[in-house]
Amino acid sequence: MTEDLPADLVVRARRVVLPDGERPAAVHVRDGRIAAVTAFEDAPAGATTLAEDEVLIPGLVDSHVHVNEPGRTAWEGFASAARAAAAGGVTTVVDMPLNSIPPTTSVGALEVKRAVAAGQVSVDVAFWGGAVPDNADEFAPMLAEGVVGFKCFLLDSGVPEFPPLSTDGLRAALTELAAVDGLLIAHCEDGPTIDAAPDPDGTSYTAFLASRPGAAEETAIGTLLAVAAETGARVHVVHLADAHALPLLRRARADGVRVTVETCPHYLTFAADEVPDGDTAFKCCPPIREASHREALWQALVDGEIDLVVSDHSPCTPELKRLDVGDFGLAWGGIAGLQVALPAVWTGARARGVPLARVVELMSAAPAALAGLPGKGGIEVGKDADLVAFAPDATAVVGRLEHKNPVTPYAGRELTGVVRAVWLRGERTGGAPAGRLLRRGDR
């Protein structure tokens, strides 16, 4: 290392995933940020050198995490969610505005969230606001206070304090956000379509799948895209499970609609015919669909038609999962997967020949861009020194997790890729909580 590059930490590896490709490099850190990226050999004697089987990647950004605290802290909390994130190589999470009480639908509620999270988190945390009926006057003040955008539901959210937007409500929200170039992210399932579908009660996964048909996703996405085209607002489709909606998104983009889309590790890992009857750990909404959808989602990731992959970590207590009776109609719908998101996606990517650099782009750079966090998402000068030592060829069986509740469909599954070390702004994680509360635009 040259004398004009003093650093607090230098980490080097024979494989470093950089924005312009993968190569040997040394990453120099000063005051929590990346000060230089040099040749592997240009490092001091005290540099940390990764093992030959390890790759240095940027910390992941998970822009879809339900922390649930306060109000439903028994489901998950900031301390446990942050530990799980760090264990999985996620150095930044963006907290969803529900299922906490109060939901993050006002500046006052945002202040409550921040006060509760302060001093608990071992990773950095940003916050989504919520778009519910009649709170559009809160959008500008909440954006000024740093929320990264607003989440809405287009059908019943499952919790009464976070009601859905009607089409008129969606139009009002997008009109307001278009004026300030704010972002709306939407849970896209159509209530009337689901109401007309068969009843989901019972242990049959096939019956549950029939109760949440792909047409519900397609109808709601069509509504979102139409109103986005009308208003000119930016919109984002969360947790896409139905690959048949991809042509709708493709046409909308060709027509100039500003829309992005994400999918999740569970839709890329599991398939409906593999879900055992009565195993409600697999219940999520929209549901895990047939293998043909899984493979089409993978192809869309390769083709660039899906922009990012995030966990949609949405845990609850074991009691609410109703494992005692295995009834998909009664169980809470949500997958706990924050800690295993990276190995789950990498296992599928590796099997399909998708390179690690693409996985990193989908799980770090792209979510950081969506959330408006320019200091995150890559190993480059000026960004936060959020780094992960990842062993892409190692395997591990999913056992104990840092999530507050242990119910997950990944339990007992062998995944490829092991996180061996994590640095948050140049400091190794695992000690006293050192995470920061972020605002949109933070560098």
Side-chain angles (χ1 to χ4, degrees):
M1 179 181 172
T2 57
E3 298 257 339
D4 60 342
L5 287 175
D8 306 318
L9 170 75
V10 178
V11 183
R12 65 178 185 170
R14 293 293 179 185
R15 295 179 60 190
V16 181
V17 176
L18 301 167
D20 59 351
E22 183 184 301
R23 64 176 184 272
V27 179
H28 304 255
V29 178
R30 186 167 56 246
D31 297 330
R33 296 195 174 185
I34 297 169
V37 179
T38 67
F40 177 87
E41 296 78 12
D42 191 7
T48 297
T49 302
L50 299 196
E52 289 297 317
D53 67 336
E54 294 174 346
V55 184
L56 189 65
I57 65 173
L60 303 189
V61 177
D62 193 334
S63 58
H64 196 149
V65 178
H66 294 269
V67 176
N68 304 332
E69 187 177 11
R72 293 188 174 94
T73 310
W75 298 17
E76 189 69 279
F78 281 104
S80 53
R83 286 195 303 271
V90 177
T91 52
T92 303
V93 301
V94 189
D95 173 59
M96 282 289 162
L98 75 162
N99 306 305
S100 57
I101 301 173
T104 317
T105 54
S106 67
V107 169
L110 175 63
E111 291 172 348
V112 170
K113 270 283 184 84
R114 285 183 169 149
V116 170
Q120 287 204 71
V121 291
S122 50
V123 299
D124 288 350
V125 179
F127 300 89
W128 291 105
V132 295
D134 302 320
N135 83 322
D137 60 343
E138 290 280 355
F139 292 172
M142 291 180 74
L143 286 169
E145 287 299 315
V147 299
V148 302
F150 296 88
K151 167 76 175 287
C152 77
F153 273 69
L154 300 183
L155 83 169
D156 182 7
S157 72
V159 291
E161 67 277 358
F162 200 93
L165 294 179
S166 66
T167 301
D168 286 342
L170 176 64
R171 183 174 292 106
L174 287 181
T175 299
E176 187 75 18
L177 288 172
V180 293
D181 200 32
L183 174 66
L184 184 79
I185 69 173
H187 180 125
C188 290
E189 288 183 285
D190 180 64
T193 302
I194 290 174
D195 290 343
D199 190 275
D201 291 347
T203 61
S204 168
Y205 186 78
T206 300
F208 170 64
L209 183 61
S211 76
R212 315 279 301 207
E217 285 190 75
E218 294 156 38
T219 299
I221 288 171
T223 298
L224 178 71
L225 295 174
V227 181
E230 175 187 330
T231 60
R234 291 191 296 136
V235 294
H236 176 77
V237 176
V238 299
H239 50 48
L240 182 70
D242 174 46
H244 293 158
L246 288 166
L248 296 174
L249 293 157
R250 190 181 307 126
R251 287 195 295 270
R253 283 170 161 159
D255 291 339
V257 177
R258 297 193 294 166
V259 59
T260 51
V261 59
E262 71 189 42
T263 193
C264 303
H266 38 282
Y267 302 130
L268 299 170
T269 301
F270 305 114
D273 60 359
E274 302 167 1
V275 177
D277 285 348
D279 195 343
T280 51
F282 286 86
K283 180 179 176 179
C284 57
C285 300
I288 294 163
R289 302 198 185 278
E290 297 86 352
S292 60
H293 288 271
R294 177 183 63 193
E295 299 311 313
L297 293 173
W298 270 111
Q299 189 59 51
L301 288 169
V302 171
D303 295 341
E305 293 193 326
I306 294 178
D307 301 277
L308 55 143
V309 179
V310 287
S311 70
D312 187 13
H313 178 67
S314 185
C316 65
T317 62
E319 293 76 17
L320 287 173
K321 269 298 186 184
R322 298 310 305 266
L323 297 170
D324 55 339
V325 293
D327 190 318
F328 283 98
L330 298 176
W332 174 260
I335 299 287
L338 173 59
Q339 186 171 331
V340 299
L342 175 57
V345 174
W346 173 237
T347 299
R350 190 172 185 264
R352 293 166 176 82
V354 178
L356 180 59
R358 177 62 176 152
V359 171
V360 168
E361 180 183 17
L362 291 164
M363 301 186 75
S364 185
L370 178 81
L373 299 173
K376 303 295 185 180
I379 299 176
E380 56 185 296
V381 173
K383 289 189 182 292
D384 288 346
D386 300 341
L387 307 170
V388 175
F390 182 63
D393 299 322
T395 61
V397 174
V398 178
R400 180 183 176 276
L401 299 173
E402 296 292 340
H403 307 153
K404 180 167 286 190
N405 293 292
V407 179
T408 178
Y410 295 100
R413 193 177 185 95
E414 184 177 80
L415 298 176
T416 302
V418 174
V419 172
R420 291 189 177 156
V422 177
W423 292 264
L424 177 68
R425 284 175 276 103
E427 298 290 336
R428 282 287 294 266
T429 59
R436 292 179 180 171
L437 306 184
L438 304 177
R439 296 169 181 261
R440 179 176 55 98
D442 275 355
R443 295 185 176 276

